Amino acid sequence: MFSLFLVLAGGRPAAAQDPAPSVVVSDSASAVAQSSADLDKANAELDRIREQVEAHGDDDLRLVDLKVQAEAANRSILAISVAIRPRLDDIKARQTELGDPPAEGAAPEADIVAEERKRLSDERNAINALTAEAENLSIKANKLSNMITEIRRELFSGTLLKRTDVNSSVLSDASGALVAEADDLKRTLSSWIRFVWNYKRGQLFGAVFLSLCAALVFLSGSNRLFSPLIQRPALEVRPDYITRLSVAFWSTMIPTSAVAAFLGSSYFFLDNFNVLRPDIAPIVSLTLAVTVALTFVSLLANAVLAPKEGSWRLVNVSNHGARLLVFAIVAMALANGFDFLFGGISEALGSPVVLTVAKSFVASVLIGLILVAMAFIRPVLSEGEDRSAAGRPWPRLVRMLFIATGLGLFAASLLGYIGLARFVGTQIVMTGAIVVTMYIGVLSGKAVSKQNAFADTIFGRGLEKRFGFGQVALDQAGLFAGLGIYALLIVFFIPLILLQWGFQIADIESWAYRVFTEIKIGSISISLVAIFGGILLFAAGMIITRWFQKWLDGNVMARSHVDPGVRNSVKTGIGYLGVGIAGLIGISAAGLDLSSFALVAGALSLGVGFGLQNIVSNFVSGLILLVERPFKVGDWVVTGTTEGYVKRISVRATEIETFQRQSIMVPNSLFINASVGNWTHRNKLGRADISVHVGYDSDPRRVMEILHEIAEEHPLVLRNPAPMAVFNSFGETTMTFELRVYLADLTNAASVRNDIRLSIFERFRDEGLGVLFKQAEAPVSLAGESLPEPGTGKPLQGEGSPLETKEDTADGAVRPKARTPR
């Protein structure tokens, strides 16, 4: 713009003086060229992925990996498009500055301006072309990803609905293949054992030793940390439902996690020490995985049904029925687990497919027969019925469901739909176990979150005993514990269910990435990770702000003996500044565009104009009070009918604590727009006045001397300024004197006046002063207050009422009080 100004002004072109524009042109051209090259690479990557999809259309694992690669390529394409968008905005802004080209017949513009206009137009066209190419490639990537999803769906459906003839010849071929596979497995295992013993003996002992150490760590750690959660103590009465839920959930999860961790570490050590051969590693890994699954199902069945400890049972079934149900569930899990294990062994050894089909056929038939047998178990008990009693049959609907499912598996197997029967059987065992565990977890979280429930748990009693948590803190901890259980269920069990239903780990990772980073709502993209990061940064900013406030107040200002009011103002200002900065950082980290809040700001301005004037007025008044400081924390102020000490000054209201310990929130605008009395504005030095009324038979000079002596004897009365006794006025029946004393701390005025009044009464009584005229109708006290009428307790009101010019408040303040003499 400055070079254009020089050209229009007739000066030498800026390009001759400053080469910066050419550098900018070169950089922008190189950025456009780099973006074009990146798009070419992305296009080549998409073509390669398509070729791989066509070549591996029957491999689900490979297709999942290719789908992830296609989505990654799509993200890189979108990133390229986003990266060149700011340059396009700059070009548009620059073209707006240059304006429209001269009309026909008008004077031509300068050459440098025409060149600049042409260069910007060419670059804009190039960027638009790149943007269009990026959009086309993004569409291509989306189509490729959708195509992979469709191929996988058809592959899954084909696997489930694939039909195999089941006849005597198939079974005969399977029996022969089984014998050959057994011999092959025997040779493979024996050769591996000889190989390990001859060449990997040291590595084997090292792996076994480390595995045993890991087992000891898991075992001791589980017993030490979680034994209160998984042990069932012997109780005379039946434990409450929340305790049974908690023990069932954790007695399933913790041992299963310990077994999984131990077996996983064992495989890790064996693999890293090169003890496992490529032909043995799949068999070992599948064996360990099946062991974990069987452990999980067995623990869950025993935790829910508790066949040996009926008082801990979660469902109302008989003891005999619980034992039969546990046996049936474990039998189905064994049939399903061994089917997977033997299928994996067949795949690893390269056995014929007919053998795998036969194994799955047998497993499906067994699971179907077990389900039919479960329909005839009689486990049901009435509420409150003895658990040792003979149960009744299942409800009709449950019994028919068992029979229909079992017969369905049996029929599907006989008809040759082995894949479908195997899939259904697996979901009955594994998905059913996972869903039951999730349900127990949900009930546990709900029970723990109830009010006053967490305090009765082991953790609640431990927190109360060790950290002194109160009921409110324990309820809050229970709420967080319930939310933690819900989070555990979502993070751990939902992926397990998806894996059981045929999804791959890469699918789950891709979905999780989308959920946490690319939630689309119209044209708005929300990233949960960015929002969570923004919240963390805001929380960190708040923590740093609070720490800095505490450090500055307790170390810097306290050691410098800064006035408490100044300290409060500085702390408050730093607090609001820190909150503002932390908020801006958090919003920026969350990926929110501050310009999008312009509409909200406009609406807020409209609200201020119509209905928020008082809030804004109080806010601005609070800022003025913090900066101007007409009073500070600890000052004794009076405004309207409110009087007390300032406890806190915020931007909306000021907290005043009265002398009766009542907290009053006074809007800040009242302190700005009304008169405010501050007894301790500059210092606490002040004067307290005590009025004294005596009869006309008293010697005024003697009265003044006594008052002066009494004031000088009090330790809190200042000598400079000196106390003063004043003959104030004449009344109808009394003379009025006033003792004026100065105090270093005016907040002690009430106690000082009380002490001085007692001393005046005692001295006047000893001196014989204060005798009233006999014709006075109303007897008057030495301190000027009407004495009670004998027998009534009420002060006399009449001609003898004195003229009072001062009134002492309950808080020690001295206020004028006008009373007309009678």
Side-chain angles (χ1 to χ4, degrees):
M1 190 67 185
F2 182 70
S3 61
L4 178 60
F5 174 78
L6 289 178
V7 171
L8 296 178
R12 190 162 58 92
Q17 300 176 7
D18 188 1
S22 63
V23 174
V24 174
V25 172
S26 176
D27 292 342
S28 62
S30 114
V32 171
Q34 181 63 39
S35 300
S36 178
D38 292 339
L39 289 178
D40 292 338
K41 291 180 181 178
N43 189 21
E45 177 68 10
L46 293 177
D47 292 337
R48 184 193 65 82
I49 294 173
R50 180 179 290 276
E51 294 175 358
Q52 292 290 322
V53 170
E54 294 174 354
H56 302 85
D58 56 348
D59 188 349
D60 187 66
L61 291 176
R62 183 61 177 165
L63 289 175
V64 171
D65 184 56
L66 293 174
K67 180 178 174 62
V68 172
Q69 295 178 21
E71 292 176 348
N74 189 20
R75 286 194 294 270
S76 66
I77 292 169
L78 294 177
I80 295 171
S81 178
V82 171
I84 60 177
R85 193 172 300 163
R87 178 56 188 166
L88 182 61
D89 295 336
D90 293 341
I91 292 174
K92 292 179 180 179
R94 178 64 173 156
Q95 288 178 332
T96 302
E97 292 178 358
L98 293 177
D100 297 331
E104 295 183 5
E109 59 186 357
D111 293 340
I112 188 173
V113 178
E115 293 176 0
E116 176 76 1
R117 189 187 303 279
K118 184 178 182 304
R119 183 186 65 80
L120 292 174
S121 179
D122 294 341
E123 187 176 355
R124 181 173 179 176
N125 293 334
I127 293 177
N128 287 332
L130 285 176
T131 303
E133 183 181 357
E135 292 178 356
N136 293 332
L137 288 179
S138 178
I139 294 173
K140 180 179 179 180
N142 286 327
K143 289 182 177 179
L144 181 59
S145 177
N146 295 333
M147 183 183 71
I148 295 174
T149 302
E150 185 63 26
I151 293 175
R152 292 186 61 210
R153 186 180 295 112
E154 293 177 357
L155 186 63
F156 180 73
S157 301
T159 302
L160 289 182
L161 301 179
K162 183 178 180 180
R163 186 175 180 276
T164 303
D165 291 331
V166 179
N167 48 45
S168 58
S169 62
V170 171
L171 297 179
S172 176
D173 294 340
S175 61
L178 179 61
V179 174
E181 183 183 89
D183 294 336
D184 193 7
L185 178 62
K186 180 179 179 181
R187 287 194 302 271
T188 302
L189 290 177
S190 59
S191 65
W192 174 64
I193 293 173
R194 288 194 301 271
F195 166 76
V196 171
W197 185 256
N198 294 329
Y199 302 103
K200 299 288 184 179
R201 189 184 307 172
Q203 291 89 332
L204 175 63
F205 290 153
V208 171
F209 175 75
L210 292 177
S211 300
L212 292 176
C213 291
L216 291 176
V217 169
F218 292 133
L219 181 62
S220 61
S222 300
N223 290 333
R224 182 179 296 272
L225 296 177
F226 304 110
S227 57
L229 295 176
I230 59 179
Q231 290 181 352
R232 296 174 177 174
L235 301 176
E236 297 180 0
V237 295
R238 191 178 187 184
D240 57 276
Y241 191 65
I242 182 175
T243 303
R244 285 182 284 150
L245 279 175
S246 177
V247 170
F249 180 73
W250 295 114
S251 63
T252 301
M253 291 300 302
I254 293 174
T256 302
S257 301
V259 171
F262 165 64
L263 295 180
S265 63
S266 300
Y267 182 83
F268 173 79
F269 292 132
L270 291 173
D271 185 50
N272 279 270
F273 287 174
N274 296 322
V275 176
L276 299 177
R277 290 189 322 201
D279 57 340
I280 292 296
I283 300 175
V284 173
S285 63
L286 190 58
T287 303
L288 298 180
V290 170
T291 302
V292 173
L294 293 177
T295 302
F296 169 65
V297 175
S298 176
L299 289 173
L300 177 63
N302 283 276
V304 174
L305 297 172
K308 297 181 180 179
E309 297 175 291
S311 60
W312 291 90
R313 195 169 298 150
L314 292 178
V315 292
N316 193 25
V317 296
S318 64
N319 294 335
H320 181 66
R323 288 192 291 269
L324 291 178
L325 288 175
V326 169
F327 177 79
I329 293 171
V330 173
M332 284 193 298
L334 287 173
N336 191 71
F338 283 123
D339 177 31
F340 271 95
L341 178 59
F342 293 151
I345 292 174
S346 299
E347 184 178 353
L349 298 178
S351 301
V353 178
V354 66
L355 181 58
T356 302
V357 171
K359 293 175 182 176
S360 298
F361 173 80
V362 173
S364 300
V365 170
L366 285 177
I367 294 175
L369 293 176
I370 293 172
L371 286 173
V372 173
M374 287 177 62
F376 296 97
I377 297 176
R378 306 168 63 91
V380 181
L381 293 176
S382 300
E383 188 67 28
E385 190 175 357
D386 188 7
R387 291 182 293 273
S388 61
R392 295 186 305 278
W394 295 103
R396 182 182 300 272
L397 180 61
V398 176
R399 187 168 64 253
M400 295 304 296
L401 180 63
F402 281 148
I403 294 175
T405 305
L407 293 179
L409 288 176
F410 190 77
S413 301
L414 291 178
L415 292 175
Y417 295 101
I418 307 298
L420 178 61
R422 179 183 179 184
F423 179 79
V424 174
T426 302
Q427 305 319 313
I428 291 174
V429 177
M430 296 305 301
T431 305
I434 295 172
V435 171
V436 170
T437 307
M438 288 186 65
Y439 181 68
I440 295 175
V442 170
L443 293 179
S444 301
K446 184 178 180 180
V448 168
S449 302
K450 287 184 178 179
Q451 191 172 5
N452 302 328
F454 187 72
D456 297 331
T457 61
I458 297 174
F459 281 115
R461 290 191 292 268
L463 291 175
E464 184 179 7
K465 181 179 179 181
R466 183 164 185 176
F467 301 102
F469 277 24
Q471 187 62 49
V472 176
L474 289 175
D475 283 339
Q476 293 174 348
L479 178 60
F480 282 109
L483 294 177
I485 293 175
Y486 296 151
L488 174 65
L489 296 176
I490 294 173
V491 172
F492 187 75
F493 287 102
I494 296 298
L496 283 180
I497 293 177
L498 294 176
L499 290 175
Q500 291 297 322
W501 282 79
F503 297 97
Q504 303 296 331
I505 296 178
D507 290 325
I508 301 174
E509 292 176 349
S510 177
W511 292 339
Y513 179 83
R514 290 182 180 178
V515 168
F516 287 104
T517 61
E518 297 179 357
I519 299 178
K520 295 287 186 179
I521 303 178
S523 60
I524 301 175
S525 179
I526 298 176
S527 173
L528 295 181
V529 174
I531 292 176
F532 182 70
I535 294 174
L536 289 181
L537 288 176
F538 177 76
M542 291 293 296
I543 293 173
I544 293 174
T545 299
R546 295 291 181 260
W547 171 83
F548 184 72
Q549 281 181 298
K550 185 177 180 181
W551 175 82
L552 185 65
D553 181 63
N555 291 273
V556 177
M557 292 190 290
R559 296 182 182 182
S560 302
H561 301 287
V562 179
D563 184 83
V566 176
R567 292 168 61 178
N568 177 74
S569 298
V570 172
K571 282 177 58 179
T572 304
I574 291 176
Y576 287 115
L577 179 63
V579 170
I581 295 175
L584 291 176
I585 294 175
I587 290 174
S588 300
L592 300 179
D593 187 5
L594 295 178
S595 61
S596 61
F597 290 94
L599 182 60
V600 178
L604 183 61
S605 301
L606 185 63
V608 170
F610 281 97
L612 303 179
Q613 299 97 329
N614 291 334
I615 295 177
V616 176
S617 175
N618 290 326
F619 179 79
V620 176
S621 299
L623 296 178
I624 294 173
L625 292 177
L626 290 173
V627 174
E628 187 178 307
R629 299 180 63 248
F631 53 82
K632 56 187 179 296
V633 174
D635 279 358
W636 172 9
V637 298
V638 181
T639 175
T641 59
T642 303
E643 181 175 4
Y645 294 105
V646 178
K647 302 300 291 184
R648 187 174 62 90
I649 304 174
S650 63
V651 293
R652 191 200 67 83
T654 297
E655 180 183 350
I656 304 295
E657 185 180 274
T658 66
F659 302 107
Q660 291 80 23
R661 295 297 186 267
Q662 179 187 20
S663 294
I664 299 177
M665 305 300 169
V666 182
N668 290 328
S669 59
L670 295 181
F671 291 103
I672 298 298
N673 300 324
S675 299
V676 181
N678 190 345
W679 287 94
T680 56
H681 179 49
R682 292 182 176 84
N683 51 60
K684 294 185 178 182
L685 177 65
R687 193 183 78 181
D689 299 340
I690 302 99
S691 296
V692 180
H693 306 277
V694 298
Y696 280 97
D697 59 345
S698 301
D699 183 5
R701 297 186 184 276
R702 181 56 183 163
V703 171
M704 294 171 63
E705 291 177 2
I706 293 174
L707 294 176
H708 197 275
E709 292 174 1
I710 290 173
E712 290 183 340
E713 290 174 357
H714 199 284
L716 296 181
V717 175
L718 297 178
R719 300 299 179 266
N720 184 21
M724 179 185 301
V726 179
F727 192 158
N728 199 17
S729 63
F730 294 97
E732 293 183 2
T733 59
T734 60
M735 296 179 290
T736 302
F737 295 85
E738 189 174 73
L739 178 59
R740 301 172 181 175
V741 297
Y742 291 89
L743 306 176
D745 189 350
L746 193 59
T747 58
N748 297 323
S751 62
V752 171
R753 278 199 300 267
N754 185 67
D755 295 341
I756 291 178
R757 285 195 182 105
L758 290 173
S759 299
I760 290 174
F761 179 82
E762 294 170 354
R763 287 290 300 275
F764 278 25
R765 182 186 58 189
D766 296 341
E767 294 283 343
L769 299 175
V771 179
L772 303 180
F773 288 116
K774 294 181 180 180
Q775 61 268 37
E777 294 183 3
V780 181
S781 68
L782 295 177
E785 298 178 356
S786 298
L787 296 177
E789 183 179 3
T792 64
K794 299 180 180 180
L796 291 174
Q797 303 296 332
E799 295 260 342
S801 243
L803 174 65
E804 291 185 6
T805 58
K806 296 288 181 180
E807 180 187 29
D808 299 321
T809 60
D811 50 54
V814 180
R815 298 180 187 167
K817 179 179 180 181
R819 178 176 292 182
T820 305
R822 299 179 183 268

